[in-house]
């Protein structure tokens, strides 16, 4: 039986390969994401900033693979969370 570490390493290799095929090399994708963080940091609400970062991540993924439905659906879901945050109000 394989150790947990061996199973983990195999799973990570699989996931990074699959993501790379969908979203391109992480260096390219992360550069796109980092560029958006500069603007997103201007948002005064940390909760909304997080949602915006997730939205931007999905946008950057769609740049590479515009037909990836999961990213489009996730993007819409994160946009909805901003409305939910605004409805919830201050903590």
């Amino acid at each position: 039986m394989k150790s947990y570490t061996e199973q983990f390493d195999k799973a990570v290799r699989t996931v990074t390969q699959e993501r790379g095929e969908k979203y391109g090399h992480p260096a390219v994708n992360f550069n796109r994401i980092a560029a958006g963080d500069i603007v997103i940091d201007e948002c005064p609400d940390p909760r909304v900033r997080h949602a915006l970062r997730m939205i931007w991540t999905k946008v950057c993924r769609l740049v590479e693979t515009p037909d990836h439905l999961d990213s489009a659906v996730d993007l819409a879901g994160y946009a909805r969370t901003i409305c939910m945050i605004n409805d919830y109000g201050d903590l």
Side-chain angles (χ1 to χ4, degrees):
M1 176 177 244
K2 288 185 178 182
S3 71
Y4 287 108
T5 304
E6 289 172 320
Q7 292 177 61
F8 176 86
D9 290 344
K10 180 181 178 191
V12 168
R13 279 191 303 276
T14 300
V15 118
T16 55
Q17 182 178 2
E18 288 174 5
R19 299 296 191 276
E21 290 170 3
K22 288 183 181 132
Y23 309 127
H25 194 280
V28 173
N29 189 252
F30 291 0
N31 280 340
R32 288 179 181 140
I33 294 166
D37 283 344
I38 295 166
V39 176
I40 291 168
D41 283 343
E42 296 176 17
C43 178
D45 187 321
R47 302 165 301 169
V48 174
R49 264 197 318 267
H50 178 70
L52 291 172
R53 282 193 178 95
M54 297 307 297
I55 289 167
W56 183 243
T57 297
K58 299 304 177 176
V59 167
C60 291
R61 287 179 171 184
L62 287 166
V63 165
E64 190 71 31
T65 314
D67 64 343
H68 194 250
L69 182 60
D70 284 346
S71 291
V73 170
D74 287 348
L75 191 153
Y78 285 119
R80 188 173 189 278
T81 66
I82 293 173
C83 296
M84 295 169 68
I85 289 165
N86 290 324
D87 285 343
Y88 191 78
D90 294 331
L91 294 176

